[in-house]
Amino acid sequence: MKKTVKNDKKWRYLKRIADNPTGWIILCNLLDGMDQRLFKKKFAVALLLCWMRAYKRQKKNARQSGQSPFTPPSEADILRDSFDTACGSPGNGVSCSEWPEGFRLHCKRRLPGKPPIDSYASITDARDFVEERISPDEKKRLSGEAWLHGILDPDPATWDSWKPLGKTRIRLKPLDTKGNASTIGNPAKVLWITPESETVDLGKHPRPANELRDLLGLVHVSNSQLLALSLPKAVVQKQDHGRPTVADAGSHRRHMAHSSHRTCGTTNPWGYTASLASFAAQDGNIDGLPERVVRPIPVASLPELDVQALGFCGLERGIEQGIDDDAIFAKRLCQRHGGIPQMMERIRKLLA
């Protein structure tokens, strides 16, 4: 009886904080991941408990800092930040008693040998990459070739007349600004990759940055210049890698743990991105590109990198159409579970 009361209390608390579009998206992806055996029930429950604990802690901190001159975080911000905190690993200063090894990179499904994949692409912000990853000597060389000025030009109109020709090989700096070993990808997160063969034709597109941003479901990316990093197969395979779960995605608002139109097996090693253009058009199939996650790659393993400039990425997709919002996407995910009430009932039973 005491256990039932305790679990009911947890459920009421979770329902109060997560019964909203952000929570629905996370919870649907949690159930979809469990249904596809990306993880087991014990993993899902531990992640929920860690999320609730992180939310309670951040909510308390927000109340205590209410007298500060800075604008306090919104409920949605606290909800997203607390889930991202829960998804972290012990190596990043985060611990969870129910799952001490950390939640990221849990589903290490191996890729089959066929069809062969020679290289992967990962998309990044050009300015961050230049400031944080390129060595000073390399910046001087690239500045002389006008490459840096081109990819960092803040005027989107410039991209109508300036088009990069092929890839540029760039030497990276071995240490970050704090003197630690540098990595390709944020060392506190996972690196998202897709087969490079899926992106080779995008250079012919009039706006390759926008096109790839849409295909990869990067709804949070806007008003910036993008680069595609070419990662050799051999380098990726040396790192932990696998199919992404909701814990890898964190609070990403367009993560999709299940294909939008096909029956997913329980052995598929690839995840699915949500195509923002297809979603805005209300298509039945909104699958974008296949995706995986890999642990950030040490620069020592790849001191030089082939980089393709993609151009300027405009405003967030779908604003004009009025269709690309969290509530509509969340309700679409919940259809697989019979709707929002039925999905929430499944979560209640998970905590029982």
Side-chain angles (χ1 to χ4, degrees):
M1 182 59 125
K2 287 184 179 180
K3 183 177 179 181
T4 301
V5 172
K6 187 176 181 180
N7 288 340
D8 284 347
K9 185 177 180 180
K10 291 176 182 175
W11 157 242
R12 288 195 299 271
Y13 184 66
L14 179 63
K15 188 175 188 301
R16 179 164 61 83
I17 67 173
D19 199 3
N20 56 69
T22 297
W24 299 335
I25 291 170
I26 291 171
L27 295 175
C28 279
N29 280 314
L30 183 87
L31 291 177
D32 283 337
M34 198 168 62
D35 290 345
Q36 293 172 98
R37 300 179 188 173
L38 307 187
F39 46 80
K40 296 181 179 179
K41 176 181 177 180
K42 184 178 179 180
F43 177 95
V45 171
L47 183 55
L48 290 176
L49 294 177
C50 194
W51 182 19
M52 285 188 278
R53 192 178 301 119
Y55 177 89
K56 186 175 182 179
R57 183 168 55 248
Q58 293 200 26
K59 186 73 172 175
K60 180 180 179 181
N61 292 340
R63 284 196 301 267
Q64 291 176 344
S65 61
Q67 302 301 318
S68 72
F70 302 104
T71 303
S74 67
E75 287 288 332
D77 288 339
I78 295 174
L79 190 71
R80 287 191 292 266
D81 290 346
S82 58
F83 189 69
D84 289 337
T85 298
C87 293
S89 64
N92 296 325
V94 178
S95 62
C96 179
S97 57
E98 291 85 3
W99 206 264
E101 61 265 44
F103 295 102
R104 289 192 178 125
L105 280 165
H106 178 78
C107 183
K108 293 185 175 65
R109 288 184 182 172
R110 285 301 196 187
L111 290 170
K114 297 181 180 180
I117 297 175
D118 295 325
S119 59
Y120 299 87
S122 184
I123 310 307
T124 190
D125 179 271
R127 188 168 298 278
D128 289 346
F129 183 78
V130 168
E131 292 177 355
E132 299 174 8
R133 299 292 184 267
I134 300 182
S135 68
D137 290 343
E138 193 74 335
K139 287 182 185 179
K140 291 179 182 178
R141 179 182 73 82
L142 295 169
S143 295
E145 296 177 4
W147 189 83
L148 278 186
H149 174 73
I151 68 165
L152 299 180
D153 196 313
D155 182 6
T158 303
W159 291 94
D160 294 334
S161 57
W162 185 89
K163 293 292 181 183
L165 299 176
K167 298 176 182 177
T168 299
R169 175 147 289 203
I170 294 175
R171 187 168 65 254
L172 306 179
K173 58 182 180 182
L175 302 178
D176 62 20
T177 54
K178 297 181 179 179
N180 301 315
S182 187
T183 59
I184 300 166
N186 188 327
K189 299 181 180 180
V190 290
L191 186 64
W192 294 79
I193 56 176
T194 193
E196 193 169 30
S197 59
E198 298 280 351
T199 68
V200 291
D201 292 333
L202 290 176
K204 304 172 185 176
H205 194 276
R207 301 181 71 189
N210 274 22
E211 179 72 2
L212 196 50
R213 183 270 312 274
D214 281 12
L215 286 171
L216 292 173
L218 305 177
V219 72
H220 56 289
V221 175
S222 66
N223 198 34
S224 59
Q225 292 78 19
L226 301 183
L227 302 175
L229 312 181
S230 181
L231 305 172
K233 168 186 173 182
V235 174
V236 170
Q237 288 187 333
K238 289 180 181 178
Q239 300 294 108
D240 286 340
H241 60 95
R243 178 170 170 174
T245 72
V246 64
D248 298 307
S251 61
H252 176 40
R253 296 182 289 123
R254 292 298 175 271
H255 178 59
M256 196 166 65
H258 195 293
S259 167
S260 65
H261 76 291
R262 69 184 77 177
T263 301
C264 297
T266 55
T267 58
N268 191 342
W270 290 101
Y272 307 88
T273 67
S275 168
L276 304 181
S278 299
F279 174 57
Q282 303 184 61
D283 292 345
N285 175 10
I286 63 169
D287 285 4
L289 299 183
E291 64 180 353
R292 301 242 320 159
V293 286
V294 61
R295 196 172 297 283
I297 299 171
V299 167
S301 300
L302 194 62
E304 292 186 331
L305 192 66
D306 286 333
V307 176
Q308 173 69 61
L310 298 172
F312 184 83
C313 185
L315 295 175
E316 287 187 321
R317 185 69 167 90
I319 293 175
E320 293 83 0
Q321 290 83 352
I323 186 71
D324 191 17
D325 65 54
D326 294 351
I328 294 173
F329 184 73
K331 289 175 182 176
R332 177 164 184 147
L333 293 187
C334 289
Q335 288 175 359
R336 190 183 321 282
H337 305 283
I340 292 170
Q342 291 83 353
M343 181 276 294
M344 295 298 284
E345 177 61 17
R346 279 199 66 190
I347 294 295
R348 185 191 70 77
K349 291 179 179 178
L350 192 62
L351 288 173

